[in-house]
């Protein structure tokens, strides 16, 4: 500002420090039961034993859910088999489509309540459940409803047939959205479903069951069994399942694949990741900074495709770090129900402990920690969004999937080195490339071993776009035309 | 020239052309637009917005009478309500500066005037500078100049730069706001480049639009300009002001601009010294919202004066 100095006007309004008031989403109109067993054969059923699920932002219990036993899983699979044979496989495809459209519309109608419950049970900011999870969940049902009566045109005129009963196990990071990703294509292709939600986040699946009732979906077409990993194991190992779809850790995925070998069950796995977000020196830098923030702090970093390894061209490293430091200072961490919260609660105590352990490893291995200077709530599971500089590829924070708001900043000198470093991981789920030069973007993208590659964006999702991994990030695709394949027998 | 570890370095700076990603900048602007501003924060924001307005009339039909009415409104937007601040400035054409100066005497409300062949900028430099000098002599505290888009779009950036630098000089004690007319530059890349150029040439404020070209101010264009200001501040420690103008008509829009400044530049810019809103009908909407906060219900526009 040149050499002149304006004398400040003295008005009360010009007082510095404009602070936003809390803008809490009201929870008055949401309703849910104190106890849920399972949802089998179109009805809510009791369980033998129950466990509690909490709100991670308050640590208060929300409701109890059934701990699915092998017998309860068996009842659910039998119900799904009946639903398949009696109703779903008998319906003309265009009738299946009608149900899916109806479910999609009901998801939209109940979007506000579902978003609030997703935030209460999962800890994610309301603006994300409202603007991302719910619209996308509905979009997947709309999208696959459209495919239901066009399946014979999906694969070059090949005859297709459903597989039968699908057993699906989903994680806690996008509870409702993962249910939609799994259920919509399965039903569109003519299969029936038994799904197990994660034990920390089963609430919205129960609300989804209510929507299925409201949509008058025939009994047994979708069944939910609640419970922990033991219930999941009973489900995937049930002899009358035709297909298993699992999203979760690479460790569990590997165990499932071993168990399924030789059973004839189809399998798709969507596992871990350690995504590289590559920033070239000709990138639109201010927008790249937003992409870095979205890449790692979206959903508290509980995202399998998170951009957790930042690869910055060395010539702009300092500039990126300075901007990142500034941007970190404007992040709003706190009550997930506040409409202005950017980063919410960590999903569970166990996950918080894991993240905190890695924050320790980062420093121990010699990296420099930069934490957001924001205040954290006194209770609930919260951690300050963090990035590390001075990270070497050998550090644990650079190699392991942390599944939290922790970013490792590393450098490269040339596109070749960027590609080499990005691919130097057992994972291969996602990557981002930031450059203003289109030819470079496509040249680099074609060399990356990752299932999803974003150009000048990150963590953007669309029902029409296939999502899935390379290498230890799994196999099979969800979304798009490719997302039909795991649920169909293609007969040439 | 500078010295690093005993080695003399030249003062060479690489070119300042930096890209803007249109999709991402629009997404960020939209995301900031979802902030929920309630209660005390809303009240404070509405008052702040009033104090940041450059209450503007730029019509061929403007007369001393019209300008005096506007000045009265600028000084006391709601007569009898001392809690509501005056606007930042009144913005008029040069021949009406003296009238505004007299009407606003002692109020603290600045007189801003458009100059340099506003709005087209199609005139020769000597005549532009002469107009600026006369306008400052007539009492203008602030000059809103337009850049020469003809030169800019022909790629004659040096001419644009020199003209701004000469206008800063001609302004003397007055502050200079440089209007880029972003609606004619069209791409965010050009907006970014023009912003940097204007700041390098000595602009005290950069401003989006004349209000005579559509689109005028938009949130994404403003974000791009604020990011250039931020970068300049990081590099030099010097602050530059920002003025979006044209098309900001509602209190809700004004609050979105304040959120954007707050989260892009921070507290230091949250004052009429560093942020202005070029507007006319906006003021009445802000006043209606302020009355709604006080009364709990919207009152009729018939209780608010024109202008």
């Amino acid at each position: 500002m040149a050499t002149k100095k304006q004398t400040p006007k003295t008005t009360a309004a010009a007082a510095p420090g404009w602070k936003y008031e809390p803008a809490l989403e009201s929870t008055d109109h949401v309703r849910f039961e104190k106890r849920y067993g399972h949802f089998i054969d179109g009805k809510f059923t009791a369980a033998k034993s129950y466990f509690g699920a909490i709100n991670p932002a308050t640590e208060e219990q929300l409701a109890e859910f059934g701990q699915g036993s092998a017998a309860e899983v068996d009842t659910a699979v039998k119900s799904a088999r009946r639903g398949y044979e009696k109703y779903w496989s008998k319906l003309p495809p265009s009738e299946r489509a009608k149900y899916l459209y109806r479910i999609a519309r009901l998801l939209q109608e109940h979007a506000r309540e579902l978003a609030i419950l997703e935030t209460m049970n999962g800890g994610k900011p309301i603006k994300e459940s409202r603007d991302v999870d719910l619209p996308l969940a509905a979009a997947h049902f709309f999208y696959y409803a459209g495919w239901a009566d066009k399946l014979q045109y999906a694969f070059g005129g090949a005859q297709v047939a459903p597989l039968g009963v699908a057993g699906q196990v989903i994680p806690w990071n996008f509870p409702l959205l993962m249910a939609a990703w799994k259920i919509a294509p399965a039903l569109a292709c003519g299969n029936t479903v038994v799904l197990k939600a994660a034990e920390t986040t089963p609430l919205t699946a129960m609300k989804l069951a209510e929507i299925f009732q409201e949509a008058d979906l025939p009994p047994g077409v979708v069944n939910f069994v609640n419970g922990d990993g033991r219930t999941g194991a009973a489900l995937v190992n049930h002899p009358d399942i035709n297909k298993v779809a699992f999203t979760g850790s690479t460790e569990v995925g590997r165990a499932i694949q071993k168990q399924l070998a030789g059973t004839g069950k189809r399998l798709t796995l969507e596992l871990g990741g350690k995504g590289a977000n590559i920033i070239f020196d000709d990138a639109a830098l201010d927008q790249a900074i937003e992409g870095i923030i979205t890449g790692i702090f979206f959903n508290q970093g509980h995202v399998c495709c998170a951009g957790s390894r930042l690869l910055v061209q060395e010539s702009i490293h300092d500039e990126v770090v300075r901007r990142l430091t500034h941007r970190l200072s404007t992040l709003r961490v706190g009550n997930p129900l506040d409409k202005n919260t950017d980063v919410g609660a960590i999903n569970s105590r166990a996950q918080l402990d894991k993240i905190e352990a890695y924050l320790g490893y980062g420093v121990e291995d010699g990296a420099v920690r930069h934490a957001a200077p924001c205040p954290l709530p006194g209770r609930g599971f919260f951690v300050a969004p963090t990035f590390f500089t001075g990270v070497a590829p050998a550090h644990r924070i650079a190699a392991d999937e942390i599944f939290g708001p922790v970013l490792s900043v590393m450098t490269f000198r040339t596109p070749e080195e960027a590609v080499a470093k990005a691919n130097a991981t057992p994972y291969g789920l996602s990557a981002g490339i930031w450059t203003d030069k289109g030819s470079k973007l496509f040249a680099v993208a074609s060399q990356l071993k990752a299932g999803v590659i974003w150009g000048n964006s990150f963590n953007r999702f669309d029902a029409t776009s296939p999502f899935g991994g390379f290498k230890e990030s799994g196999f099979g695709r969800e979304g798009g035309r490719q997302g039909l394949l795991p649920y169909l027998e293609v007969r040439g | 020239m500078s010295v690093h570890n005993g080695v003399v370095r030249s003062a060479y700076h690489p070119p300042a052309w930096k890209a803007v990603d249109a999709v991402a900048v629009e997404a960020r602007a939209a995301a900031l637009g979802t902030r929920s501003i309630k209660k005390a924060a809303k009240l404070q924001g509405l008052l702040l917005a009033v104090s940041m307005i450059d209450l503007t009339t730029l019509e061929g039909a403007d007369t001393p009478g019209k300008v005096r009415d506007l000045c009265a409104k600028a000084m006391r937007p709601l007569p009898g309500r001392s809690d509501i601040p005056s606007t930042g400035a009144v913005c008029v054409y040069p021949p009406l500066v003296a009238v505004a100066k007299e009407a606003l005497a002692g109020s603290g409300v600045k007189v801003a005037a458009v100059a340099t062949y506003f709005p087209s900028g199609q005139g020769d430099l000597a005549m532009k500078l002469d107009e600026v000098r006369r306008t400052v002599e007539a009492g203008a505290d602030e000059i809103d100049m337009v850049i020469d888009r003809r030169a800019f779009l022909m790629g004659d950036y040096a001419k644009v730069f020199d003209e701004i630098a000469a206008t800063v000089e001609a302004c003397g004690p007055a502050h200079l706001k440089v209007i880029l007319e972003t609606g004619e530059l069209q791409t965010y890349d050009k907006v970014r480049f023009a912003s940097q150029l204007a700041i390098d040439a000595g602009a005290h404020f950069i401003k989006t639009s004349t209000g005579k070209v559509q689109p005028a101010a938009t949130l994404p264009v403003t974000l791009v300009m604020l990011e250039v200001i931020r970068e300049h501040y990081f590099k030099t420690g010097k602050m530059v002001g920002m003025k979006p103008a044209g098309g900001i008509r509602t209190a809700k829009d004004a609050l979105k601009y304040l959120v954007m400044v707050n989260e892009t530049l921070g507290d230091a810019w949250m004052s009429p010294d560093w942020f202005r809103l070029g507007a006319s009908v906006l003021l009445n909407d802000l006043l209606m919202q302020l009355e709604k906060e006080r009364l709990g219900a919207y009152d009729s526009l018939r209780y608010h004066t024109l202008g």
Side-chain angles (χ1 to χ4, degrees), chain A residues 1 4 6 8-9 13 17-21 23 284 286-287 290 319 322-323 326-327 340 342 436, chain B residues 18-19 21 28 35-36 38 40-41 44 48 172 174-175 204 227 230-231 238-239 262-263 270 273-274:
Chain A
M1 175 85 193
K4 289 169 215 155
Q6 289 176 340
K9 275 160 55 91
W18 189 39
K19 299 275 175 283
Y20 306 157
E21 294 271 315
D286 286 308
Q287 287 72 57
E290 286 309 314
E319 209 175 334
R322 191 200 57 210
R323 285 167 198 243
H326 177 264
R327 183 66 179 85
N340 294 327
D342 297 320
D436 199 41
Chain B
K18 289 212 176 128
D21 187 86
R28 173 67 177 154
R35 288 293 192 215
S36 179
K38 303 282 187 205
Q44 195 190 352
L48 196 49
H175 274 252
H204 304 125
E227 285 172 346
R230 181 172 66 191
E231 185 168 311
K238 289 175 184 161
M239 292 168 70
N262 192 36
E263 298 202 26
M270 296 298 284
D273 295 338
W274 301 107

Side-chain angles (χ1 to χ4, degrees), chain A residues 22-65:
Chain A
L24 297 181
E25 182 70 54
S26 163
T27 57
D28 294 348
H29 62 288
V30 303
R31 38 170 206 92
F32 55 92
E33 306 296 327
K34 284 280 121 200
R35 169 178 271 195
Y36 291 96
H38 311 293
F39 178 75
I40 296 172
D41 204 26
K43 295 181 291 291
F44 286 95
T45 61
K48 238 197 186 121
S49 63
Y50 292 85
F51 64 93
I54 63 166
N55 178 340
T58 63
E59 300 177 56
E60 285 163 7
Q61 180 166 308
L62 286 171
E64 285 190 316
F65 298 87

Side-chain angles (χ1 to χ4, degrees), chain A residues 413-469:
Chain A
R413 293 160 299 174
T414 61
E416 194 181 313
E417 189 182 6
V419 168
K421 283 189 164 166
N423 286 339
T425 166
Y427 295 113
L429 191 53
S430 73
I433 304 166
W434 295 81
T435 168
D436 199 41
K437 193 167 184 177
S439 56
K440 180 157 57 181
L441 199 158
F442 287 104
V444 170
S446 66
Q447 298 171 71
L448 293 178
K449 303 281 183 287
V452 185
I453 298 169
W454 286 286
N456 293 325
S457 64
F458 211 100
N459 272 344
R460 306 294 289 253
F461 306 95
D462 194 287
T464 64
S465 175
F467 181 96

Side-chain angles (χ1 to χ4, degrees), chain B residues 86-105:
Chain B
S86 52
T87 68
V90 164
C91 183
V92 295
Y93 270 117
L96 292 156
V97 164
V99 176
K101 189 72 181 175
E102 193 191 340
L104 296 170

Side-chain angles (χ1 to χ4, degrees), chain A residues 1-24 127 130-131 281-291 293 316 319 322-327 329-332 338-342 434-437 441 455-457 460, chain B residues 18-21 24-25 27-28 34-42 44-45 47-48 51 85-88 108-110 142 168 171-175 189 192 202 204-205 227 230-232 234-235 238-241 255 258-259 262-265 267 270-274 276:
Chain A
M1 175 85 193
T3 50
K4 289 169 215 155
K5 183 91 185 110
Q6 289 176 340
T7 42
K9 275 160 55 91
T10 49
T11 61
W18 189 39
K19 299 275 175 283
Y20 306 157
E21 294 271 315
L24 297 181
K127 73 168 186 188
R130 177 193 69 201
D131 297 342
D281 61 2
D282 59 357
L285 218 46
D286 286 308
Q287 287 72 57
I289 296 296
E290 286 309 314
I293 295 288
I316 55 165
E319 209 175 334
R322 191 200 57 210
R323 285 167 198 243
L324 214 46
T325 306
H326 177 264
R327 183 66 179 85
S329 73
T330 67
L331 279 179
R332 305 172 66 86
D338 190 317
K339 286 177 250 184
N340 294 327
T341 290
D342 297 320
W434 295 81
T435 168
D436 199 41
K437 193 167 184 177
L441 199 158
N456 293 325
S457 64
R460 306 294 289 253
Chain B
K18 289 212 176 128
V20 179
D21 187 86
V25 82
R28 173 67 177 154
T34 67
R35 288 293 192 215
S36 179
I37 306 300
K38 303 282 187 205
K39 301 176 199 135
K42 183 174 180 188
Q44 195 190 352
L47 292 170
L48 196 49
S51 76
S86 52
T87 68
V109 178
K110 308 274 193 224
E142 299 169 0
V168 173
C171 277
H175 274 252
D189 285 335
R192 192 181 209 292
H204 304 125
F205 265 68
E227 285 172 346
R230 181 172 66 191
E231 185 168 311
H232 183 73
F234 279 151
K235 276 196 185 130
K238 289 175 184 161
M239 292 168 70
V240 173
L255 290 176
L258 290 195
V259 164
N262 192 36
E263 298 202 26
T264 309
L265 297 175
D267 276 356
M270 296 298 284
S271 114
D273 295 338
W274 301 107
R276 295 281 181 82

Side-chain angles (χ1 to χ4, degrees), chain B residues 241-256:
Chain B
M242 172 71 200
K243 178 180 172 184
I248 307 164
R249 306 175 74 85
T250 65
K252 201 172 176 179
D253 282 345
L255 290 176
K256 286 184 185 180

Side-chain angles (χ1 to χ4, degrees), chain B residues 71-275:
Chain B
C71 291
K73 178 109 174 169
M75 290 186 287
R76 280 176 295 277
L78 269 188
R81 290 283 303 279
S82 59
D83 58 317
I84 293 180
S86 52
T87 68
V90 164
C91 183
V92 295
Y93 270 117
L96 292 156
V97 164
V99 176
K101 189 72 181 175
E102 193 191 340
L104 296 170
S107 69
V109 178
K110 308 274 193 224
V111 178
V114 295
T116 69
Y117 279 77
F118 182 96
S120 73
Q122 299 276 16
D124 73 54
L125 182 59
M127 291 166 84
K128 288 179 183 177
L129 295 179
D130 185 52
E131 185 191 24
V132 169
R133 283 190 207 100
R134 284 161 182 267
T135 308
V136 174
E137 270 166 34
D141 302 301
E142 299 169 0
I143 296 293
D144 289 25
M145 75 169 285
V146 290
I147 65 163
D148 184 338
R149 280 93 71 200
R150 172 163 50 101
F152 188 88
L153 294 170
M154 287 169 67
D156 192 354
Y157 305 121
K159 180 166 192 285
V160 183
F161 181 96
D162 291 346
E163 218 171 275
I164 297 169
T167 309
V168 173
E169 189 82 32
C171 277
H175 274 252
L176 181 66
K177 306 189 197 107
V178 177
I179 303 171
L180 310 180
E181 196 66 299
T182 54
E184 289 183 348
L185 308 185
Q186 297 212 347
T187 66
Y188 297 120
D189 285 335
K190 293 283 189 203
V191 170
R192 192 181 209 292
F193 182 70
S195 302
Q196 189 63 57
L197 185 155
I199 290 170
D200 290 345
H204 304 125
F205 265 68
I206 51 175
K207 175 177 168 183
T208 58
S209 320
T210 60
K212 305 294 183 191
V213 167
Q214 289 302 321
T218 67
L219 286 162
V221 153
T222 302
L223 180 56
V224 169
M225 294 169 72
L226 292 173
E227 285 172 346
V228 177
I229 290 171
R230 181 172 66 191
E231 185 168 311
H232 183 73
Y233 180 72
F234 279 151
K235 276 196 185 130
T236 66
K238 289 175 184 161
M239 292 168 70
V240 173
M242 172 71 200
K243 178 180 172 184
I248 307 164
R249 306 175 74 85
T250 65
K252 201 172 176 179
D253 282 345
L255 290 176
K256 286 184 185 180
Y257 280 95
L258 290 195
V259 164
M260 186 172 273
V261 176
N262 192 36
E263 298 202 26
T264 309
L265 297 175
D267 276 356
W269 269 266
M270 296 298 284
S271 114
D273 295 338
W274 301 107
F275 190 72

